[in-house]
Amino acid sequence: MFLLLVIGLMSTTGPAVSAGELLVLEGESVTLEATGHEQDKKDLKRMSWSFYEQEIVVYSHKNSDVDYDRVYEARVEFDVNTFFLRLKNLQKTDSGLYKAEKTLHGKQKETVAEYMIYVLEHAAAPTLTVVSNWSSSDSCNVTLNCTGLNVSLISRCNGIVCSQEGGVTSLSISLNHNTVSCNHSNPVSWRQTTMEFKPLCPLYRDDLAPPAGMSPCLLKALLVTVVLTTMVTAVITVHIREKLDKSK
């Protein structure tokens, strides 16, 4: 189960309690814990869990009776020993504030736990489209557009790596061998779309490509330097040999 827990503080009536935000994938389940009541069981009158102000389960300690709200009865489980509440098959409409409250004999109701739940849908499958492409035997230039829901990411690939433009955290593009991948994610799930890269650069040859991080212009300059150095070395060698031959 994809689950992210961020601990924080929320305002409550009565003593402050530790609260949490839960991000849950739609259709999954989550267990809400209620602590700090273990020493109060002998004085406990009732325990309840609420969704906002609607009580979804009430436990009466005197006769160990558990009363579920009929709307939630098929989708919740209450543990009479730990007072934990399990919510099953969560939907986006289940997003909201859940609160556990205890009532001791002779005392007012007290909040012992609060959770703000956000139910998120599965990340949508992204689309990967070609904006432009050009290739030669030693060069490749492909511009791709990775789109997920209402956001998009432009990337330029040279046959070795893909550079990303913009700060879209939910989208990413990567090139692995002959496969370019477009990834779309949210805090609880991710989806991927792939595309073969070689057909986008039909003239491009890997064995003629410059090393990663080296531009074609830099490679040409390096080759010219090597050739000139070789020529100068050859001239100097011939000149030295001629001098040696004359001195004999």
Side-chain angles (χ1 to χ4, degrees), residues 42-54:
K42 61 180 180 10
D43 298 320
L44 183 65
K45 182 178 181 181
R46 76 193 300 265
M47 187 80 178
S48 67
W49 278 96
S50 303
F51 178 56
Y52 289 109
E53 299 304 320
Q54 177 186 0

Side-chain angles (χ1 to χ4, degrees), residues 17-48:
V17 298
S18 177
E21 290 186 355
L22 297 175
L23 304 184
V24 187
L25 181 64
E26 188 174 23
E28 295 288 347
S29 302
V30 65
T31 298
L32 307 182
E33 300 182 0
T35 60
H37 54 76
E38 292 80 5
Q39 305 300 322
D40 300 325
K41 284 191 175 182
K42 61 180 180 10
D43 298 320
L44 183 65
K45 182 178 181 181
R46 76 193 300 265
M47 187 80 178
S48 67

Side-chain angles (χ1 to χ4, degrees), residues 188-216:
V188 293
S189 67
W190 70 279
R191 299 284 296 277
Q192 183 183 77
T193 297
T194 61
M195 178 184 295
E196 293 298 307
F197 189 78
K198 280 189 176 180
L200 304 179
C201 286
L203 302 179
Y204 179 66
R205 289 179 54 185
D206 293 342
D207 56 331
L208 298 180
M214 181 179 294
S215 67

Side-chain angles (χ1 to χ4, degrees), residues 65-79:
D65 181 56
V66 180
D67 184 25
Y68 293 95
D69 183 284
R70 59 185 181 84
V71 175
Y72 291 89
E73 187 171 7
R75 297 196 299 118
V76 300
E77 295 177 359
F78 178 76
D79 191 310

Side-chain angles (χ1 to χ4, degrees), residues 6 8-9 40 100 107 123 207 216 230 240:
V6 182
L9 291 176
D40 300 325
K107 294 186 179 181
D207 56 331
T230 303
I240 293 175

